[in-house]
Amino acid sequence: IAAVEHLAGKAGHVNYDTIPGVVYTYPELATVGKTEEEVKAAGIKYRVGKFPFQANSRARTNDDYDGLVKIITEEATDRILGVHIMGTVAGEQIAEAVLAMEYGASSEDVARTCHAHPTLSEAVKEAALAAHFKPIHF
């Protein structure tokens, strides 16, 4: 879209910090933003929230619960700096994180967003809860 906007004489916008990466293995790996190592190297004070799919009711019902969701936030502002997902549909789930990061959301913003139950996407909410305060189901 940015390339077409540029061709049309408009300013094309690309936020390179919110371009997701997905490895289509089993389980899938999906990532957006900074890794914990990058945040440490930059000297940013941060928090990490993790939630395993073993504690997610939909994953357990599907008997497919390998993996987890990890959210890295800036300690002072709670702004999401990176999200990393390993699981069956990580490539689908990363979109929520990309949207949250594109609009500068905090882990509390994601944690307070209603997620359907039971769904795999609740693992993103639970990891956000873990980064902000504590998860409900783990």
Side-chain angles (χ1 to χ4, degrees), residues 108-121:
E108 183 180 13
D109 293 331
V110 174
R112 291 184 175 272
T113 301
C114 185
H115 289 67
H117 176 76
T119 60
L120 296 172
S121 66

Side-chain angles (χ1 to χ4, degrees), residues 53-66 119-120:
F53 283 108
Q54 290 177 334
N56 176 271
S57 59
R58 181 68 180 264
R60 293 182 63 78
T61 300
N62 292 344
D63 195 28
D64 194 1
Y65 43 82
D66 290 336
T119 60
L120 296 172

